[in-house]
Amino acid sequence: MARNEINHMSVKFDSRSNNEAFARQTISAFASQLDPTLEELHDIKTAVSEAVTNCIVHAYRREKGYITMAASLYDNGDIRIQIKDKGCGIADVQKAREPLFTTGDAERSGMGFTIMESFMDRVRVRSREGVGTQVTLTKHIAARSTSKSEE
């Protein structure tokens, strides 16, 4: 079934840890147009949080850069979110997607991609060393019945 985009947004922000909350709230407000359940909204916010945190911690490491978050809503109830950085890139995407693998310090769990995959319907990762990484998250929000109960 073909899907048609019904709305789109894009924001660019510094790779600062306090902007992770900004990304969560921004995507929450945008996704609310599809009338998600609280659980669906939590799933989306958690996945976005993990993707943005990966940019902050791994892509730019100790330097600052920019993160771009773009999202599209579709008439079939899908939301597609792209999180992009122009950081160091991922040498081995398959390895990076393995649970418990991290290039961060001992405080990092290595569960970012695993968490994204558990909360979203689809996660696609494209990366080139020295160029950056793009994570695309997709989730379907099922339409809910709005019928009133009989009195």
Side-chain angles (χ1 to χ4, degrees):
M1 174 175 139
R3 61 182 185 171
N4 297 308
E5 186 178 82
I6 57 173
N7 203 355
H8 178 82
M9 71 92 183
S10 178
V11 293
K12 183 177 180 180
F13 49 91
D14 287 346
S15 62
R16 299 177 185 275
S17 61
N18 56 345
N19 282 336
E20 180 268 333
F22 168 76
R24 287 175 59 92
Q25 294 307 313
T26 301
I27 202 61
S28 177
F30 188 71
S32 68
Q33 297 171 65
L34 291 177
D35 194 26
T37 64
L38 288 176
E39 183 178 351
E40 290 167 329
L41 202 52
H42 176 267
D43 292 352
I44 292 166
K45 288 167 51 175
T46 300
V48 164
S49 179
E50 291 295 330
V52 169
T53 298
N54 277 354
C55 295
I56 294 165
V57 172
H58 301 289
Y60 295 112
R61 297 190 178 129
R62 289 170 177 58
E63 60 188 54
K64 295 296 176 212
Y66 292 101
I67 299 167
T68 302
M69 179 173 68
S72 296
L73 304 177
Y74 296 91
D75 61 359
N76 69 345
D78 283 357
I79 181 169
R80 186 183 69 210
I81 305 153
Q82 292 179 328
I83 309 291
K84 293 184 200 179
D85 66 63
K86 294 186 183 233
C88 64
I90 301 171
D92 185 341
V93 172
Q94 289 302 103
K95 184 77 174 165
R97 291 181 81 156
E98 291 178 9
L100 305 178
F101 177 82
T102 184
T103 59
D105 57 30
E107 294 177 14
R108 300 291 160 198
S109 68
M111 295 296 290
F113 286 121
T114 302
I115 291 168
M116 287 181 239
E117 290 167 349
S118 70
F119 287 118
M120 301 300 283
D121 296 326
R122 183 170 181 215
V123 176
R124 187 177 67 209
V125 182
R126 291 185 178 175
S127 189
R128 286 186 49 206
E129 283 188 281
V131 177
T133 301
Q134 175 179 302
V135 174
T136 304
L137 309 166
T138 305
K139 186 165 188 75
H140 180 73
I141 306 299
R144 293 196 307 263
S145 173
T146 57
S147 64
K148 294 182 180 180
S149 60
E150 293 182 30
E151 295 179 24

